[in-house]
Amino acid sequence: MIEVKKISKKFKDLEVLKDVSLEVSKGEIISIIGPSGSGKSTLLRCLNKLEDIQSGTIKIEGELLNRNNCKKLGMVFQGFNLFPHKTVLENIIEAPIIVKKMSKDKAIKLADDLLKKVGLLDKKDSYPSQLSGGQKQRIAIARALAMNPHIMLFDEPTSALDPELVGDVLSVIKELAKEHMTMLVVTHQMQFAKEVSDRVIFMDQGKIIEDGSPTEIFENPSHDRLRQFLSSII
């Protein structure tokens, strides 16, 4: 589904990604962990063209990344990014109508189905300011799913939430995992990474240091830097 080969990304003189290579198969769930500033979020942003790379290649389903095929990737940000002046329903139907030219009736039916899926159908006429952080994030997930993405990218989807609201958001992501949605999740939630991931990637200083099963990463880490990172957070 995704093939990343030796990509590099710089912000002025700061090299944020250094020769990163990665392959993601259909239906795989990959958690990306690592310290702040290690390049995790930048990697996701390069995958859907929010950031341009300086070198290397990114392929989505065998094709070089371009303006069209980056629409196959849905993205959920840590800050929700909902339109504050639009209702929940309007937030979800906007892109299917404008980008996919879907009829309004069909878009509303789709939005209702997705709101049921994330447990928030009763909030369809509310505005973002009337929702909790966890509810906003579940709406953001529904909005991304409305574009029928082949791959979902989650950039620290729970880091802006109060601890008691984290579970609701993670349970929605776990449901998507059961449906074999291909997902890349940048997360600080180690328990979630252990439970849900097929693979866990550890990044540090712009590089992938380790890439393995949750058991390998959490129980038998081979790299000193990973051992140090895990001992500082677990």
Side-chain angles (χ1 to χ4, degrees), residues 4-21:
V4 174
K5 274 199 180 153
K6 289 188 166 302
I7 66 166
S8 294
K9 169 69 188 170
K10 281 184 179 173
F11 293 113
K12 293 186 177 160
D13 293 336
L14 180 67
E15 197 171 13
V16 193
L17 296 176
K18 303 168 187 171
D19 262 0
V20 171
S21 295

Side-chain angles (χ1 to χ4, degrees), residues 180-200:
H180 305 292
M181 166 70 82
T182 308
M183 292 193 277
L184 279 168
V185 186
V186 170
T187 185
H188 290 299
Q189 300 284 334
M190 298 301 138
Q191 195 54 42
F192 170 80
K194 274 184 200 174
E195 282 174 32
V196 177
S197 315
D198 298 303
R199 277 161 59 206
V200 178

Side-chain angles (χ1 to χ4, degrees), residues 45-205:
R45 293 173 70 86
C46 290
L47 291 177
N48 69 353
K49 278 190 94 58
L50 288 174
E51 301 287 354
D52 290 324
I53 54 175
Q54 267 74 50
S55 61
T57 58
I58 298 173
K59 287 184 177 178
I60 305 294
E61 296 182 336
E63 253 187 79
L64 279 173
L65 182 64
N66 58 55
R67 196 164 279 171
N68 279 329
N69 64 10
C70 75
K71 292 176 190 159
K72 293 177 178 177
L73 290 86
M75 180 123 176
V76 175
F77 303 87
Q78 57 184 3
F80 326 126
N81 291 20
L82 298 173
F83 298 117
H85 59 290
K86 291 182 183 291
T87 64
V88 162
L89 181 69
E90 288 165 344
N91 262 284
I92 295 172
I93 65 174
E94 175 150 350
I97 290 172
I98 292 174
V99 180
K100 292 206 153 183
K101 308 288 184 258
M102 193 181 279
S103 72
K104 189 170 182 183
D105 288 348
K106 201 171 168 190
I108 290 171
K109 164 94 175 67
L110 172 66
D112 284 351
D113 291 344
L114 290 169
L115 285 169
K116 276 183 206 152
K117 188 184 195 108
V118 300
L120 290 171
L121 184 58
D122 59 327
K123 299 290 183 190
K124 68 190 270 183
D125 297 320
S126 301
Y127 286 88
S129 61
Q130 299 167 308
L131 305 175
S132 72
Q135 289 169 335
K136 286 179 195 169
Q137 195 57 293
R138 282 146 67 197
I139 297 301
I141 294 171
R143 183 178 62 176
L145 291 172
M147 291 299 286
N148 194 24
H150 297 194
I151 299 155
M152 281 288 280
L153 309 175
F154 292 91
D155 186 11
E156 298 188 19
T158 59
S159 68
L161 305 180
D162 293 333
E164 70 268 24
L165 301 174
V166 167
D168 289 341
V169 173
L170 292 182
S171 65
V172 171
I173 301 174
K174 286 176 184 173
E175 281 304 310
L176 292 176
K178 284 181 194 163
E179 295 166 16
H180 305 292
M181 166 70 82
T182 308
M183 292 193 277
L184 279 168
V185 186
V186 170
T187 185
H188 290 299
Q189 300 284 334
M190 298 301 138
Q191 195 54 42
F192 170 80
K194 274 184 200 174
E195 282 174 32
V196 177
S197 315
D198 298 303
R199 277 161 59 206
V200 178
I201 286 168
F202 172 66
M203 290 185 73
D204 189 39
Q205 297 187 338

